[in-house]
Amino acid sequence: AAAALGALGPQAAAVAPRLRGLLGHDELWLRVDAAIALRKVSGRTEESTEVLLDAWEKNRHVRVRVAECLARTGPVDPASTTAQVLRAELSSVRRHNALDGGYGSHDTYEDEKLLALCRQALRGTGKTGRGSTA
């Protein structure tokens, strides 16, 4: 539901308080969905950044989704914690989806996508011409 509300963008601004309430939910993926949707409906990034970065650290599988959001919002302030996290990902030798003893063919695609999104967020080339925000 949070993702659907986010897709409505500023037209769903009235639900921003409810989305803010979900930022502290126990379920990590719901917090991430709420944070992303809140950015889209409110146009404000600061109130959801901590939730997104916390999820980034707690669950490596959420990184592509978070990076997509950050890339849409970009550019990231070069002095921010967010930029530090993105640069650390770009310079990491061990990739986020590396598993000991195995891999899947989709892993390379997902990893390349993550790296491209990190670069995009740092450069700020992800904004669309349709007035949307991440």
Side-chain angles (χ1 to χ4, degrees):
L5 290 169
L8 295 173
Q11 295 173 329
V15 301
R18 288 191 175 229
L19 292 170
R20 277 186 201 97
L22 293 173
L23 295 180
H25 196 276
D26 290 339
E27 171 55 43
L28 179 130
W29 289 95
L30 180 54
R31 288 194 309 268
V32 169
D33 286 343
I36 292 169
L38 183 58
R39 284 175 170 239
K40 290 179 178 180
V41 303
S42 74
R44 295 172 26 200
T45 61
E46 62 281 349
E47 61 190 335
S48 60
T49 299
E50 186 176 331
V51 171
L52 295 174
L53 295 182
D54 181 62
W56 182 287
E57 290 302 316
K58 287 184 177 175
N59 186 331
R60 62 192 170 136
H61 301 291
V62 77
R63 290 182 183 182
V64 171
R65 188 179 301 179
V66 171
E68 286 172 333
C69 175
L70 297 172
R72 281 192 306 268
T73 305
V76 171
D77 176 0
S80 68
T81 302
T82 303
Q84 292 172 6
V85 167
L86 295 172
R87 286 192 297 267
E89 187 68 41
L90 288 169
S91 65
S92 177
V93 174
R94 182 168 174 83
R95 302 307 318 138
H96 84 284
N97 55 2
L99 299 174
D100 291 331
Y103 68 93
S105 60
H106 66 284
D107 292 338
T108 302
Y109 170 79
E110 284 296 310
D111 190 53
E112 289 298 320
K113 181 177 179 180
L114 174 62
L115 295 175
L117 289 165
C118 289
R119 287 185 208 98
Q120 190 175 355
L122 289 167
R123 285 192 314 260
T125 59
K127 291 190 177 196
T128 66
R130 295 174 286 205
S132 72
T133 59

